[in-house]
């Protein structure tokens, strides 16, 4: 309404507000896709760059700056995030655990990982047209997707 009723100056301002609203709507729809029900046991907390999963039998904590790889796996009929640190420690976090929607913002802040890649991984699509990654689980029909890997870390040959 502002863009069509107030002249040229308000048309530009109204267009900017409409573009901002469209961007927020897109981000909101992506967040809704990322949020799942709370059917899995356990609780996910993201606090000051640290992801903590408190489960009934397993759990742990990983710092986001130490995170080197994110995979989306299917284990025993449940989809889980596999978060791996540089020292090899891994944390499995169910997609549908309570508080898991907070991972959307935490993962989006990682370098080179955007919200569209996260939504594509959840939909089962390989990001940027790449072939799906796999091979770390012994089950032949497991859903194992590499979602993100930190660049520039690791050992260099001497």
């Amino acid at each position: 309404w502002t863009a069509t009723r107030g002249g040229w100056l308000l048309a530009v301002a109204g267009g900017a507000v409409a573009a901002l609203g469209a961007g927020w709507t897109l981000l909101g729809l992506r967040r809704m896709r990322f949020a799942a029900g709370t059917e899995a046991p356990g609780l996910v907390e993201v606090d000051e760059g640290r992801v903590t999963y408190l489960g009934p039998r397993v759990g742990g904590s990983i710092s986001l700056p130490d995170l080197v790889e994110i995979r989306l796996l299917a284990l025993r009929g449940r989809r889980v995030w596999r978060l791996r640190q540089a020292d090899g420690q891994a944390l499995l976090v169910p997609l549908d655990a309570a508080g898991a929607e907070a991972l959307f913002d935490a993962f989006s802040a990682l370098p080179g990982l955007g919200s569209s890649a996260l939504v594509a991984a959840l939909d089962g699509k390989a990001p940027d047209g790449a072939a799906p990654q796999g091979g770390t689980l012994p089950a032949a029909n497991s859903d194992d997707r590499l979602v993100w890997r930190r660049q520039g870390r690791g050992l260099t040959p001497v």
Side-chain angles (χ1 to χ4, degrees), residues 4 62 79 93 111 115 132 136 143:
T4 60
I62 286 186
R79 295 174 74 191
V93 179
S115 61
T136 60
D143 183 22

Side-chain angles (χ1 to χ4, degrees), residues 25-89:
T25 301
L26 179 64
L27 187 60
L29 291 173
R30 286 181 178 169
R31 281 180 187 268
M32 284 176 46
R33 173 65 185 99
F34 198 80
T38 57
E39 298 173 5
L43 174 68
V44 178
E45 292 180 348
V46 179
D47 187 31
E48 296 197 19
R50 190 160 208 62
V51 175
T52 304
Y53 173 63
L54 308 167
R57 294 188 180 158
V58 295
S61 182
I62 286 186
S63 175
L64 288 175
D66 294 337
L67 193 64
V68 294
E69 184 180 84
I70 299 174
R71 285 187 178 270
L72 185 60
L73 309 174
L75 297 172
R76 297 184 185 131
R78 186 175 305 278
R79 295 174 74 191
V80 296
W81 295 109
R82 179 177 170 255
L83 312 176
R84 190 172 62 87
Q85 289 185 156
D87 62 0
Q89 294 182 29

Side-chain angles (χ1 to χ4, degrees), residues 78-120:
R78 186 175 305 278
R79 295 174 74 191
V80 296
W81 295 109
R82 179 177 170 255
L83 312 176
R84 190 172 62 87
Q85 289 185 156
D87 62 0
Q89 294 182 29
L91 177 65
L92 298 175
V93 179
L95 248 61
D96 51 354
E101 63 274 359
L103 294 174
F104 183 82
D105 291 328
F107 291 166
S108 294
L110 294 170
L113 181 61
S115 61
S116 61
L118 289 170
V119 173

